[in-house]
Amino acid sequence: MTENTVPGFAGLTPDLVLDALESLGLYSDGRLLALNSYENRVYQVGMEDGPPLVVKFYRPQRWTDAAILEEHDFVQELVDQEIPVVPAIGFPQGGTLHHFNGFRFSVFVRHGGRAPELEDRSTLEWMGRFIGRIHAVGATRPFQARPSIDIASFGEEPLAYLLSQEFLPADLKEAYRSVVEQALDGVRRCFDRAGDCRILRLHGDCHGGNVLWTDDGPHFVDFDDSRMGPAIQDLWMMLSGERADMVRQMCDLLAGYEDFFDFEPRELHLVEALRTLRLIYYSSWLARRWDDPAFPLAFPWFNTQRYWQDRVLELREQIPLMQEAPLPI
């Protein structure tokens, strides 16, 4: 995978979106609604014949075609096991990944839903059951074209990138470098305590915003960040609140999860380590995308003095958290 700081979407006009769909024999009634996505561009498109569809245009140079198709194949494997996910639609003239005027895109059935009520214990158990089923499929074979969640790509490389650019204020650059290096030392110790954990195909970004809840339960969407990694990566983002709250939430998740897949308790050493890596990576992600006009509009607080001060404090708080005993499950 290569990262791209060039906007890439400047030529993605409404007419091009509709023309791309027409290249597949899909004709819109002209209704076009931009959905909440920054890494890619995603639109709900009204159709002349039938319900609206969702079309996703992939950020240029982020993933290879092989990596995108590997994601599609994984999601289809889940569909084949009757797991509620939303796959890309396959077309006879081009499969699930299409090219039009230099852009790559896929089409999906529109699924409605609401955010899951993660404070509800039965909802968490329900979520755990489906995450366990996803992991049971994910463990059957590895990705070949997609990378893993690791300390180098989510911590060391993002720090090096930020230090090489001009985003950090001069008076905070050394403080940020120092606190990230201390935090990464803590992350390494957490991984050492966890030992040799099983690595499998994951959703990768499994939080409440990527779950559509209906009366029939959850639908998991947006596997764009799917990678290899430890199972806990798809569980810890469901946790919130104080330590006692997270213990209860993890117990509820695992009550459903372990009906379908065995959980390795030593992975609990990684909860705060993975949270720390996500915090470091997120700042780097914003910096790499800052030339995309959508980002300054959506994240006006980024790259201010206050933003970097808060990041230093945030990481200082993470360092002692990584030294605590894992959640007692």
Side-chain angles (χ1 to χ4, degrees):
M1 183 179 70
T2 59
E3 297 287 356
N4 181 31
T5 58
V6 178
F9 291 116
L12 187 58
T13 64
D15 285 344
L16 189 146
V17 172
L18 301 183
D19 289 344
L21 286 171
E22 287 187 14
S23 73
L24 299 177
L26 301 172
Y27 296 92
S28 170
D29 61 9
R31 292 177 296 160
L32 190 67
L33 174 66
L35 300 181
N36 186 25
S37 177
Y38 300 107
E39 185 67 347
N40 304 296
R41 295 293 187 269
V42 183
Y43 304 92
Q44 178 179 300
V45 184
M47 306 306 296
E48 289 183 352
D49 185 15
L53 294 173
V54 172
V55 56
K56 173 180 178 179
F57 287 83
Y58 294 91
R59 180 171 291 275
Q61 299 183 22
R62 178 169 185 251
W63 293 116
T64 63
D65 284 6
I68 295 173
L69 290 171
E70 203 166 47
E71 171 210 334
H72 291 180
D73 290 344
F74 179 37
V75 175
Q76 187 58 51
E77 287 180 59
L78 301 177
V79 171
D80 293 342
Q81 295 298 318
E82 299 183 344
I83 298 171
V85 295
V86 182
I89 300 172
F91 291 84
Q93 63 269 49
T96 58
L97 179 62
H98 316 286
H99 296 75
F100 187 83
N101 281 20
F103 290 98
R104 296 173 298 171
F105 71 99
S106 296
V107 183
F108 303 82
V109 173
R110 177 187 175 274
H111 278 268
R114 59 187 182 273
E117 298 178 3
L118 295 179
E119 67 277 6
D120 181 74
R121 302 190 69 170
S122 63
T123 296
L124 284 172
E125 186 173 343
W126 203 342
M127 295 278 286
R129 286 198 294 271
F130 280 114
I131 295 172
R133 292 180 64 192
I134 290 171
H135 288 180
V137 175
T140 58
R141 60 188 178 94
F143 283 137
Q144 299 297 326
R146 286 183 163 252
S148 297
I149 294 171
D150 55 37
I151 299 171
S153 58
F154 274 71
E156 295 167 353
E157 195 280 334
L159 173 61
Y161 177 81
L162 288 170
L163 293 176
S164 71
Q165 304 299 309
E166 297 181 356
F167 291 98
L168 285 157
D171 59 327
L172 290 175
K173 192 169 186 176
E174 179 57 28
Y176 184 79
R177 180 199 63 75
S178 176
V179 75
V180 172
E181 289 181 348
Q182 292 177 56
L184 289 177
D185 284 342
V187 169
R188 294 183 190 99
R189 286 192 290 271
C190 288
F191 272 78
D192 287 343
R193 289 194 292 271
D196 188 16
C197 294
R198 175 178 50 203
I199 302 299
L200 60 148
R201 292 177 294 172
L202 304 168
H203 181 288
D205 194 24
C206 194
H207 56 76
N210 280 333
V211 178
L212 298 175
W213 194 271
T214 69
D215 291 341
D216 295 324
H219 277 80
F220 292 81
V221 299
D222 195 5
F223 280 71
D224 194 67
D225 286 313
S226 187
R227 293 171 178 251
M228 299 293 295
I232 193 68
Q233 171 65 21
D234 280 349
L235 295 168
W236 75 262
M237 277 186 275
M238 298 289 172
L239 309 179
S240 62
E242 300 298 325
R243 183 176 173 88
D245 298 321
M246 291 192 288
V247 170
R248 176 187 59 79
Q249 292 157 4
M250 183 61 79
C251 287
D252 292 337
L253 284 167
L254 291 179
Y257 183 92
E258 293 196 300
D259 286 343
F260 296 94
F261 198 65
D262 291 333
F263 179 73
E264 297 179 346
R266 60 183 175 174
E267 290 189 26
L268 293 167
H269 286 285
L270 301 179
V271 170
E272 293 303 331
L274 289 168
R275 192 192 313 276
T276 300
L277 290 176
R278 187 174 176 86
L279 293 173
I280 298 167
Y281 184 84
Y282 185 69
S283 291
S284 172
W285 176 72
L286 289 174
R288 293 176 194 275
R289 302 295 185 251
W290 203 237
D291 286 338
D292 183 334
F295 276 67
L297 291 174
F299 309 100
W301 34 260
F302 174 70
N303 206 31
T304 61
Q305 185 84 6
R306 177 63 180 272
Y307 173 83
W308 293 108
Q309 289 172 339
D310 288 348
R311 300 292 74 74
V312 170
L313 292 174
E314 185 176 58
L315 289 170
R316 284 176 178 165
E317 292 173 354
Q318 280 299 113
I319 292 170
L321 290 176
M322 289 187 286
Q323 297 170 359
E324 294 183 1
L327 298 177
I329 303 303

